[in-house]
């Protein structure tokens, strides 16, 4: 039988690491990219097609699922895996980030966050304890601590107070998770480091989390508008402040070049809506950089999106056809573009895993950047 949670690093190359997380519902190869299944679906893709791209794990959003269809309802229907027909690991976020970004009339206190649903205005209270309960009801495999993700451009003392409250919430999350009975014995809990761009606050946050003890550690509060340069500067120190023998998860990142730069700095896991959302908007990611399929110059181009890509879209359909579908607003355009983008991301992760194993990651990263930024398209 698979273990509850076990992380082994098979190879390192500079700060980059490759390995595997073993869990009850399957293995997660790292560095890993987790497609986002916001509302119990990776939009425009069937679960078996998501799996066929090479995804070992997907992400579900507590905020969306608690509002619709509701965590108790999902539990009555047998849990999120059965509900959406995905039998591999699922990571759920805590709801904290999306309460801050999507809901109205938020009121944050030491106890938690009161907010109004963006769907119907109904009032809800989300606390560390309730977030743990919702993630347990969903049947999440990797549960995230409830935290506050403050706006990044605030004064240091505001960031510090927010981080300190998130650390108290991390302790309450740990206690709430641990009282979850059978679920706690079969799933994992990750802490979330905060502290914005400040090295001292990041260190204090890492130390507080390590004292509590988690299966893995996320780097939160980045990819919120600070720009790649500031994010990479923070990643020069943030991953190294977290325990080396645990997975490090950079939340909400990112573009293909963000992923390569973050793996280079010691990150093991990622999630982002970008490949699926961009796909629905007619943007494809390729080894030669992003492509906008709305552009008229694709109208009579019989080439695939990417010559090197191994996905079913690239094996079957031309840029000209995809251009037509996208311009016509056809649903199939969203489906094929999403499938390509998620598949491209998984091929990028596989390329990084192979390069780290072979000890050639620096070369891989240099080749990637030359191709990605020097491509003929824009
Ligand atoms: Zn493709």
């Amino acid at each position: 039988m698979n273990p509850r949670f076990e992380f082994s690093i098979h190879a390192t190359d500079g700060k980059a690491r490759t390995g595997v997380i073993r869990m009850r519902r399957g293995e997660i190869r790292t560095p890993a990219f987790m497609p986002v299944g916001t509302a119990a679906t990776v939009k425009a893709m069937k679960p078996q097609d998501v799996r066929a791209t090479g995804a070992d794990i997907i992400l579900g959003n507590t905020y969306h699922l608690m509002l619709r269809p509701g965590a108790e309802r999902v539990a009555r229907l047998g849990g999120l895996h059965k509900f959406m027909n995905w039998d591999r690991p699922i990571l759920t976020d805590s709801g904290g980030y999306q309460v801050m970004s999507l809901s109205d009339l938020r009121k944050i206190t030491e106890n938690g966050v009161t907010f109004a649903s963006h769907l119907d205005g109904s009032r809800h209270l989300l606390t560390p304890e309730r977030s743990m309960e919702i993630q347990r009801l969903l049947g999440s495999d990797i549960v995230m601590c409830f935290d506050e993700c403050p706006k990044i451009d605030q004064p240091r003392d505001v960031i510090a107070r927010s981080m300190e409250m998130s650390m108290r919430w991390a302790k309450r999350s740990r206690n709430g998770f641990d009282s979850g009975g059978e679920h706690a014995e079969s799933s994992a809990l990750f802490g979330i480091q905060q502290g914005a761009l400040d090295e001292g606050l990041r260190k204090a946050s890492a130390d507080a989390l390590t004292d509590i003890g988690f299966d893995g550690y996320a780097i939160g509060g980045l990819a919120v508008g600070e720009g790649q340069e500031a994010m990479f500067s923070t990643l020069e120190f943030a991953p190294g402040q977290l325990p080396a023998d645990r997975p490090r998860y950079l939340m909400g990142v990112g573009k293909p070049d963000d992923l390569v730069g973050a793996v280079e700095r010691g990150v093991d896991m990622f999630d982002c809506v970008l490949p699926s959302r961009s796909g629905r908007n007619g943007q494809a990611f390729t080894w030669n950089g992003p492509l906008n399929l709305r552009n008229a110059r694709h109208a009579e181009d019989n080439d695939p999106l990417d010559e090197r890509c191994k996905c079913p879209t690239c094996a079957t359909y031309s840029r000209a056809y995809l251009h037509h579908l996208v311009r016509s607003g056809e649903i199939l355009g969203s489906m094929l573009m999403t499938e390509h983008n998620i598949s491209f991301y998984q091929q990028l992760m596989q390329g990084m895993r192979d390069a780290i194993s072979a000890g050639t990651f620096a070369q891989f990263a240099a080749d990637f950047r030359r191709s990605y930024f020097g491509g003929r398209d824009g």
Side-chain angles (χ1 to χ4, degrees):
M1 189 170 138
N2 289 333
R4 180 188 66 84
F5 188 89
E6 196 179 275
F7 178 50
S8 35
I9 297 172
H10 296 154
T12 59
D13 187 359
K15 287 185 182 174
R17 309 118 59 89
T18 184
V20 65
I21 297 167
R22 291 197 178 79
M23 298 195 74
R24 199 164 52 95
R25 286 194 172 92
E27 296 189 343
I28 304 156
R29 296 162 291 171
T30 67
F33 179 79
M34 304 182 276
V36 178
T38 302
T41 161
V42 176
K43 291 187 197 305
M45 288 190 79
K46 288 181 183 172
Q48 60 265 40
D49 297 334
V50 175
R51 174 58 187 158
T53 67
D56 294 329
I57 174 170
I58 60 171
L59 187 140
N61 286 123
T62 285
Y63 172 81
H64 288 280
L65 294 169
M66 71 181 279
L67 296 179
R68 187 172 60 192
E72 277 75 8
R73 175 170 291 166
V74 172
R76 284 194 298 274
L77 293 167
L80 186 55
H81 296 80
K82 178 166 182 279
F83 184 53
M84 69 178 290
N85 189 35
W86 173 266
D87 62 3
R88 287 180 175 268
I90 296 176
L91 180 147
T92 48
D93 66 6
S94 69
Y97 176 76
Q98 284 174 325
V99 165
M100 314 295 169
S101 60
L102 291 178
S103 67
D104 299 322
L105 305 168
R106 291 175 300 278
K107 187 165 183 290
I108 304 171
T109 67
E110 183 70 29
N111 184 43
V113 185
T114 313
F115 65 96
S117 161
H118 73 289
L119 296 175
D120 59 8
S122 58
R123 308 280 293 174
H124 300 266
L125 170 66
L126 203 48
T127 62
E129 292 76 17
R130 177 60 181 157
S131 175
M132 294 305 108
E133 184 181 26
I134 291 170
Q135 294 180 75
R136 177 175 58 74
L137 288 164
L138 295 173
S140 172
D141 299 284
I142 300 182
V143 170
M144 299 305 298
C145 279
F146 188 68
D147 67 339
E148 189 197 10
C149 181
K151 290 202 168 58
I152 198 133
D153 54 0
Q154 297 183 95
R156 188 177 191 273
D157 64 310
V158 175
I159 299 285
R161 277 200 303 274
S162 168
M163 180 275 285
E164 285 158 8
M165 185 173 73
S166 284
M167 297 305 100
R168 293 190 293 275
W169 286 2
K171 180 65 183 160
R172 286 167 58 190
S173 295
R174 176 84 257 176
N175 293 340
F177 177 88
D178 289 343
S179 65
E182 199 182 313
H183 180 251
E185 288 158 24
S186 60
S187 58
L189 180 65
F190 278 25
I192 305 177
Q193 183 196 41
Q194 290 290 349
L197 309 177
D198 189 288
E199 185 166 2
L201 295 180
R202 285 274 167 193
K203 178 73 167 81
S205 179
D207 291 347
L209 293 175
T210 309
D211 281 348
I212 300 167
F214 293 96
D215 296 303
Y217 295 83
I219 300 165
L222 293 178
V224 290
E226 74 279 10
Q228 190 187 68
E229 195 182 328
M231 181 174 81
F232 282 175
S233 300
T234 306
L235 292 178
E236 291 296 334
F237 52 77
Q241 295 170 337
L242 299 167
D245 62 349
R246 297 286 165 174
R248 303 156 175 167
Y249 161 31
L250 180 58
M251 302 184 80
V253 173
K255 301 189 300 291
D257 47 305
D258 293 330
L259 303 186
V260 173
V263 167
E264 206 164 28
R265 292 166 174 82
V267 174
D268 307 301
M269 300 169 71
F270 304 90
D271 79 282
C272 193
V273 295
L274 194 64
S276 42
R277 182 175 291 165
S278 297
R280 297 196 303 282
N281 291 329
Q283 188 183 47
F285 294 98
T286 78
W287 293 105
N288 295 309
L291 271 186
N292 183 355
L293 266 291
R294 292 191 166 276
N295 197 311
R297 72 199 156 80
H298 302 301
E300 297 193 10
D301 189 342
N302 253 325
D303 287 342
L305 290 173
D306 189 306
E307 297 282 356
R308 288 167 62 189
C309 180
K310 297 174 179 67
C311 87
T313 296
C314 290
T316 317
Y317 300 101
S318 66
R319 292 182 183 191
Y321 182 57
L322 294 165
H323 166 81
H324 162 70
L325 293 177
V326 167
R327 287 278 280 249
S328 309
E330 286 291 340
I331 292 168
L332 184 60
S334 294
M335 294 165 63
L336 296 175
M337 294 283 289
T338 303
E339 181 172 54
H340 164 79
N341 279 347
I342 300 276
S343 180
F344 174 75
Y345 267 59
Q346 297 301 340
Q347 291 171 70
L348 177 63
M349 303 318 288
Q350 185 63 52
M352 289 198 274
R353 292 193 292 263
D354 290 345
I356 297 165
S357 293
T360 57
F361 187 74
Q363 187 62 51
F364 177 92
D367 289 346
F368 166 80
R369 289 184 186 112
R370 192 176 309 112
S371 161
Y372 192 79
F373 293 114
R376 63 193 163 109
D377 302 302

